[in-house]
Amino acid sequence: MDRGSENIVNFIAYAAKPALIGQILEPINKRNINTKTWSHLDILGNSINREVYENIDKANDFIGDISTLNYNVVFEIGYAIAKKKNIILISNSAVNSEAKEQIKEIGIFDTLGYGEYENTDEVIKYIKSISTKTNLKFDENNTDIQAPIFLLDTSIKTNTSIRIVSRIKKSKIFFRSFDPKETYRMTPIDTIENVAKSLGVIVSWLPESYKDSFNNNIRAAFISGLALGMGKSVSILQVEQCDIPLDIRDIVKECPNNEKLDNAISELANSVIEQLQTKKKIYIHNEKRTILEEIDLGASAAENEFRSLSNYYFKTDQYNRVLRGEARIVCGRKGSGKTALFAQVRNTLRSNKKNIVIDLKPESYELIKFKETLSKCMQEGTYNHTLVAFWEYVLLLEICYKLLEKDKQACYWDNDLTELYNRLYELYHNGSYSAEGDFSERLSYIINIISNQINEKYGSKENIRLSSAEVTEVIYRHNINELKQLLVTYLKRKDSVWILFDNIDKGWNTDGLTKEDLIVVRTLLDASRKIEQQLSNKDVECKTVIFLRNDVYELLIDYTPDRGKEARVLIDWVDSSALEEVIRRRLEYSVFNDDTYSFKDIWGSICVNLVKGEDSFQYIVDRTLMRPRALIDCIKNCIGIAINRGHEKIQEQDILEGVKHFSYDIIQEISREIRDIMPEISDALFMFIGQDNILDTETLNQLFEKEGIKAENWEKLTDFLLWYGVIGIYDNENVKYIYNTNYDLSILKRYQKLSENNTYYQLYPTFVIDNSFFD
């Protein structure tokens, strides 16, 4: 970048004092560089967004100060990236550590990279050192026509967030999303790609009183800037009154009620549909791109690739076992592929038009409130009985809903079906029941009715005990026996009924998993088994499969009296060659389009062979906990860094840097998983910063003690760390991690070799972090 040329125009955005801007500008201007400066702390409410856009449009370079994150500056960074400007980010090293921690937590700018400065000379030195290829590359014309909307979901699932998802679904347009509950940090590479592939983008702007509002709004500002700069349709939804940044004040849609919210989403959906109808050529290849720039590994979260996943899904033995009906529970760690298996099993079963496939993925918001309402007023036995009745009722209604939806047209031309369909329709739509919306909304509606009934009938009473008749009165709004009989008659016309239930363990309270949470899962299993048996007794084939996180399943088994009764499929990964196949299929579909290439050929064409003397792919696998989602995310990091450095092939330093950024992400992810089960130790992973990779029991216990963890919890915490793969058992140069024992902790602990009552442990490579990591 020739920074001595007079015709270069720079746009400088600062969330800083005007005096500081002047100090930095003075030496820049002496070098005859034309600049346009904007300080967001020096504006008194003027309408400035149009001028900002125009000046960024004219500029070649964009210099942003992210010392403290500012909504306007973040929006403008997104806009400048979308306009393919050279991006230069700087940060004052004197800023407090809390601001730096925010940058790492949100996940955008530490991956983009920024230069730190203490004075103006260092700013100028950094600017002069920037390469000519600092703009981020993407193709905004490579539209995902199967899922053309991108949604920024909120971390707290409220009625509003549930309604937004439901309204998008009602438009019959598939969408991709970023869900902070699923993915802790938002990487710029994925975000830019998701916006570029979209025709419409939806974000929510939250008031300060909301938990996680700052992180949400920073993400919303970045995504909105990208979308506006790329010319996408964008809806920034403001449901409650709050301060709106100047840059987006004129384009925010105020939605104080459901009607306005629905209209805003409908407006965007119509815009997307019109674009889909008028787009004559979806993919336009406008510029020469390297093979790395062409690679699309798909989304690491299956929720964002339902429409394309079948093109490269790896059908494992676990998938075949579920299809054969050999399991009622599918469990695996977060990121192991449960939701991908859920989607593929569902789609395969749906291919038989005579199957009734009910796929349920509730949000946890209303379910948590319902659990709290019941547990607060009922004895445990009544609580269990009520929840079984509740789940049975919900599942029967969902079978009804699916039958009515599936045969809506067939009932007009099939005379034998018409009368039966009409009877079911009348029974289902009785005077006190509404079936509007998606499953989350229908579930919310039932829960609200039952909760109101309990509150009206029992008020503030505690420890109540209900008879079966009283439970029936509280739960059911239909004649349940008539409903069952009619369903049996109807289902005899079908081949089989499959109920697939995911997300039941998504979004536990931040204070950890409780006995009541486990009862919710167990009673769902009991109710689904009861329906299976009732239908089977009437010669109707019915299968239910519930998808659970492995740690939740282990606790459920410990809590369940008749442990081992439920048939289970475990989908955690133990073989790196299977992970090779996962990546090979994605690369082949994305770029190579030729199944004659081996994985070694494909990988060698995009990446160096060795990293620190190790096979480069195995090096990454050994740092991603044998989880497909983590592996995909880490490889994406490496590819993004390589592209931004102008490399046509992933280099060793790109992998080292990519793994470093991934390390922070996975620490946060594992910490959140531990928090769900044992919240008092959720920050324990940070105690390993600066530690050697080999630790004996005494050293480990000393670290626990420093963290303020009580001695009676040390053994339990050690087991947790072993179970999550943070540490392994070390003996004579050999180490065994949990995946080496097929995720069986009892087998792993047998490898303990005691020497003077001291066991040695080895940190998993991802968690070997030096003290400079967070600088």
Side-chain angles (χ1 to χ4, degrees):
M1 187 181 302
D2 180 10
R3 302 199 180 276
S5 173
E6 293 185 6
N7 63 355
I8 289 180
V9 178
N10 294 294
F11 186 94
I12 307 181
Y14 281 90
K17 296 180 180 178
L20 175 59
I21 296 173
Q23 292 172 15
I24 294 176
L25 278 181
E26 184 179 354
I28 296 177
N29 289 333
K30 283 181 180 178
R31 301 178 65 246
N32 297 320
I33 298 177
N34 187 15
T35 60
K36 176 67 181 178
T37 311
W38 206 271
S39 170
H40 290 286
L41 298 185
D42 194 34
I43 294 170
L44 301 176
N46 299 317
S47 179
I48 54 96
N49 55 348
R50 179 50 50 196
E51 185 179 350
V52 170
Y53 306 154
E54 290 174 355
N55 280 298
I56 295 177
D57 290 344
K58 295 174 185 176
N60 288 349
D61 311 322
F62 181 98
I63 306 172
D65 190 323
I66 58 168
S67 300
T68 54
L69 293 179
N70 171 286
Y71 297 140
N72 289 299
V73 172
V74 170
F75 173 86
E76 289 158 17
I77 291 170
Y79 184 85
I81 289 172
K83 291 298 183 180
K84 300 187 177 178
K85 306 301 176 182
N86 293 311
I87 307 298
I88 304 168
L89 302 181
I90 56 176
S91 175
N92 192 326
S93 57
V95 171
N96 62 51
S97 58
E98 184 179 344
K100 291 183 179 179
E101 188 60 31
Q102 280 182 333
I103 290 176
K104 283 193 173 291
E105 183 178 333
I106 291 170
I108 302 171
F109 303 108
D110 60 331
T111 308
L112 281 177
Y114 57 88
E116 290 196 322
Y117 68 89
E118 292 182 357
N119 52 57
T120 54
D121 288 340
E122 290 186 358
V123 174
I124 300 304
K125 182 179 178 182
Y126 179 68
I127 292 173
K128 286 171 65 177
S129 71
I130 298 297
S131 163
T132 57
K133 293 184 178 180
T134 55
N135 60 315
L136 299 168
K137 296 183 179 180
F138 55 89
D139 189 347
E140 65 271 38
N141 295 307
N142 186 16
T143 306
D144 183 348
I145 59 173
Q146 294 181 320
I149 290 178
F150 180 56
L151 168 70
L152 173 65
D153 207 348
T154 55
S155 60
I156 306 299
K157 309 306 178 189
T158 63
N159 285 333
T160 299
S161 67
I162 291 172
R163 189 174 188 87
I164 290 170
V165 171
S166 176
R167 294 306 102 180
I168 299 173
K169 288 180 179 178
K170 283 186 77 70
S171 72
K172 302 297 183 183
I173 302 175
F174 288 91
F175 66 97
R176 291 160 286 110
S177 66
F178 175 82
D179 185 350
K181 279 286 185 185
E182 284 295 309
T183 308
Y184 186 69
R185 302 199 320 147
M186 190 174 80
T187 65
I189 302 301
D190 271 356
T191 308
I192 294 167
E193 179 183 312
N194 270 310
V195 174
K197 291 164 66 173
S198 303
L199 295 176
V201 170
I202 300 174
V203 303
S204 297
W205 199 271
L206 303 180
E208 288 185 9
S209 58
Y210 275 48
K211 184 179 179 181
D212 201 39
S213 63
F214 180 77
N215 288 359
N216 176 85
N217 294 345
I218 285 291
R219 295 180 184 119
F222 184 66
I223 289 171
S224 300
L226 287 170
L228 197 68
M230 293 183 198
K232 310 293 182 181
S233 298
V234 57
S235 281
I236 307 173
L237 306 175
Q238 178 194 359
V239 177
E240 296 186 26
Q241 285 296 316
C242 57
D243 292 335
I244 301 295
L246 292 169
D247 281 357
I248 62 172
R249 191 167 292 172
D250 294 342
I251 56 176
V252 163
K253 297 182 185 298
E254 294 187 16
C255 305
N257 54 52
N258 286 341
E259 181 182 359
K260 287 190 178 293
L261 181 67
D262 294 352
N263 289 340
I265 295 171
S266 177
E267 181 184 332
L268 180 126
N270 284 329
S271 171
V272 168
I273 291 170
E274 287 175 7
Q275 292 177 71
L276 285 172
Q277 290 171 342
T278 58
K279 243 180 181 338
K280 299 216 167 130
K281 191 174 183 182
I282 296 299
Y283 182 71
I284 304 170
H285 196 66
N286 289 325
E287 57 182 328
K288 184 179 178 182
R289 290 158 63 84
T290 67
I291 191 170
L292 290 183
E293 291 165 348
E294 293 282 1
I295 289 173
D296 180 1
L297 286 176
S300 57
E303 294 88 342
N304 289 332
E305 57 176 2
F306 280 156
R307 302 291 285 178
S308 59
L309 184 60
S310 60
N311 294 308
Y312 41 77
Y313 182 71
F314 180 27
K315 294 180 179 179
T316 60
D317 177 60
Q318 291 91 333
Y319 163 85
N320 292 320
R321 288 174 60 195
V322 173
L323 268 185
R324 292 194 297 265
E326 295 177 7
R328 281 186 19 91
I329 297 176
V330 174
C331 60
R333 297 174 184 238
K334 189 173 181 181
S336 61
K338 297 187 300 297
T339 301
L341 191 148
F342 172 95
Q344 290 308 295
V345 167
R346 176 195 62 189
N347 294 345
T348 301
L349 292 169
R350 280 179 177 172
S351 64
N352 179 351
K353 301 302 181 185
K354 296 200 71 176
N355 283 339
I356 300 300
V357 184
I358 298 102
D359 56 319
L360 306 176
K361 293 171 67 67
E363 296 292 350
S364 59
Y365 171 66
E366 291 293 347
L367 200 54
I368 290 171
K369 286 170 56 179
F370 184 56
K371 174 201 72 175
E372 291 170 351
T373 299
L374 296 185
S375 62
K376 183 172 63 176
C377 67
M378 293 181 175
Q379 291 183 357
E380 184 174 328
T382 297
Y383 176 69
N384 291 1
H385 186 39
T386 303
L387 276 175
V388 171
F390 164 76
W391 282 125
E392 182 186 10
Y393 184 47
V394 167
L395 295 179
L396 289 171
L397 288 178
E398 286 306 306
I399 296 173
C400 288
Y401 180 85
K402 181 59 69 172
L403 286 169
L404 294 173
E405 178 188 55
K406 189 177 181 69
D407 288 344
K408 191 173 184 179
Q409 300 300 323
C411 70
Y412 290 109
W413 51 263
D414 186 340
N415 293 331
D416 294 335
L417 180 64
T418 303
E419 182 184 354
L420 192 57
Y421 183 93
N422 289 337
R423 285 173 57 198
L424 186 64
Y425 183 91
E426 289 173 8
L427 181 58
Y428 180 71
H429 291 277
N430 69 30
S432 63
Y433 182 70
S434 168
E436 181 186 358
D438 64 2
F439 174 61
S440 289
E441 285 191 298
R442 296 194 297 274
L443 183 66
S444 177
Y445 177 82
I446 296 172
I447 286 173
N448 285 334
I449 288 179
I450 296 172
S451 297
N452 291 337
Q453 173 86 348
I454 291 171
N455 289 330
E456 288 174 12
K457 196 170 181 67
Y458 302 105
S460 59
K461 291 182 181 178
E462 295 182 2
N463 208 32
I464 61 175
R465 182 176 181 178
L466 303 181
S467 66
S468 294
E470 288 171 321
V471 170
T472 298
E473 182 185 351
V474 165
I475 298 294
Y476 300 131
R477 293 295 168 272
H478 296 77
N479 183 324
I480 197 68
N481 290 326
E482 183 182 356
L483 185 64
K484 288 179 181 179
Q485 290 171 9
L486 192 53
L487 278 177
V488 167
T489 303
Y490 204 124
L491 289 171
K492 284 181 178 291
R493 300 172 57 91
K494 306 296 180 181
D495 279 359
S496 62
V497 181
W498 285 77
I499 301 172
L500 309 177
F501 208 111
D502 195 12
N503 278 8
I504 183 65
D505 54 1
K506 181 179 177 181
W508 297 117
N509 283 334
T510 55
D511 56 354
L513 194 64
T514 65
K515 183 173 75 172
E516 288 74 21
D517 293 318
L518 295 173
I519 292 174
V520 169
V521 179
R522 196 190 71 190
T523 52
L524 173 60
L525 285 164
D526 291 343
S528 63
R529 189 189 315 107
K530 182 178 178 182
I531 290 174
E532 274 189 29
Q533 292 170 347
Q534 289 173 343
L535 291 178
S536 295
N537 290 338
K538 300 295 183 179
D539 297 322
V540 175
E541 184 181 18
C542 178
K543 302 288 185 183
T544 59
V545 187
I546 296 170
F547 294 74
L548 290 174
R549 257 175 45 189
N550 211 351
D551 48 358
V552 175
Y553 171 80
E554 293 292 339
L555 288 175
L556 180 68
I557 290 301
D558 288 342
Y559 176 73
T560 302
D562 47 352
R563 53 187 296 155
K565 180 167 64 177
E566 304 290 358
R568 174 187 71 141
V569 161
L570 177 68
I571 60 170
D572 283 327
W573 299 69
V574 297
D575 183 4
S576 60
S577 63
L579 293 173
E580 269 189 13
E581 182 63 12
V582 169
I583 300 302
R584 187 195 68 79
R585 286 169 175 257
R586 289 172 180 260
L587 289 172
E588 179 188 295
Y589 176 75
S590 171
V591 176
F592 294 91
N593 299 316
D594 188 340
D595 60 7
T596 63
Y597 290 115
S598 68
F599 176 78
K600 188 175 182 180
D601 292 334
I602 293 175
W603 184 255
S605 68
I606 69 167
C607 184
V608 295
N609 293 320
L610 299 176
V611 174
K612 294 187 173 181
E614 300 178 33
D615 177 85
S616 56
F617 182 76
Q618 191 63 45
Y619 183 89
I620 297 174
V621 168
D622 288 343
R623 285 153 181 80
T624 50
L625 293 169
M626 299 296 287
R627 301 188 186 192
R629 181 188 298 181
L631 178 62
I632 293 167
D633 283 337
C634 192
I635 292 174
K636 280 185 172 183
N637 273 355
C638 299
I639 291 173
I641 289 168
I643 290 172
N644 292 342
R645 291 173 172 176
H647 298 158
E648 294 188 0
K649 203 173 185 180
I650 304 171
Q651 302 298 311
E652 180 175 359
Q653 285 303 316
D654 301 330
I655 292 177
L656 295 176
E657 188 69 18
V659 168
K660 176 181 175 182
H661 288 302
F662 171 78
S663 294
Y664 184 81
D665 293 343
I666 202 67
I667 287 172
Q668 296 289 354
E669 290 289 347
I670 298 298
S671 294
R672 292 172 76 190
E673 290 179 38
I674 292 175
R675 181 195 66 193
D676 288 344
I677 307 300
M678 198 175 178
E680 64 271 22
I681 61 169
S682 61
D683 292 330
L685 298 189
F686 294 99
M687 69 187 178
F688 293 120
I689 296 172
Q691 298 297 322
D692 293 333
N693 66 327
I694 305 294
L695 306 166
D696 61 10
T697 303
E698 184 180 352
T699 304
L700 198 58
N701 289 340
Q702 287 172 355
L703 292 175
F704 295 158
E705 189 172 17
K706 261 187 207 179
E707 290 292 311
I709 298 168
K710 295 178 180 178
E712 59 263 32
N713 287 328
W714 291 354
E715 184 178 355
K716 184 178 180 181
L717 178 52
T718 301
D719 286 351
F720 265 72
L721 296 175
L722 286 167
W723 198 89
Y724 282 99
V726 177
I727 58 177
I729 305 293
Y730 176 82
D731 176 50
N732 295 329
E733 304 300 323
N734 294 314
V735 61
K736 293 287 184 182
Y737 293 105
I738 189 72
Y739 56 79
N740 297 126
T741 61
N742 202 30
Y743 298 92
D744 189 321
L745 182 60
S746 62
I747 294 176
L748 178 61
K749 293 179 74 173
R750 290 176 192 167
Y751 284 96
Q752 290 180 346
K753 301 294 182 182
L754 300 179
S755 175
E756 298 180 1
N757 297 320
N758 206 5
T759 302
Y760 285 83
Y761 304 94
Q762 181 165 320
L763 278 174
Y764 190 76
T766 303
F767 304 104
V768 180
I769 300 169
D770 61 39
N771 289 308
S772 66
F773 181 82
F774 294 96
D775 292 344

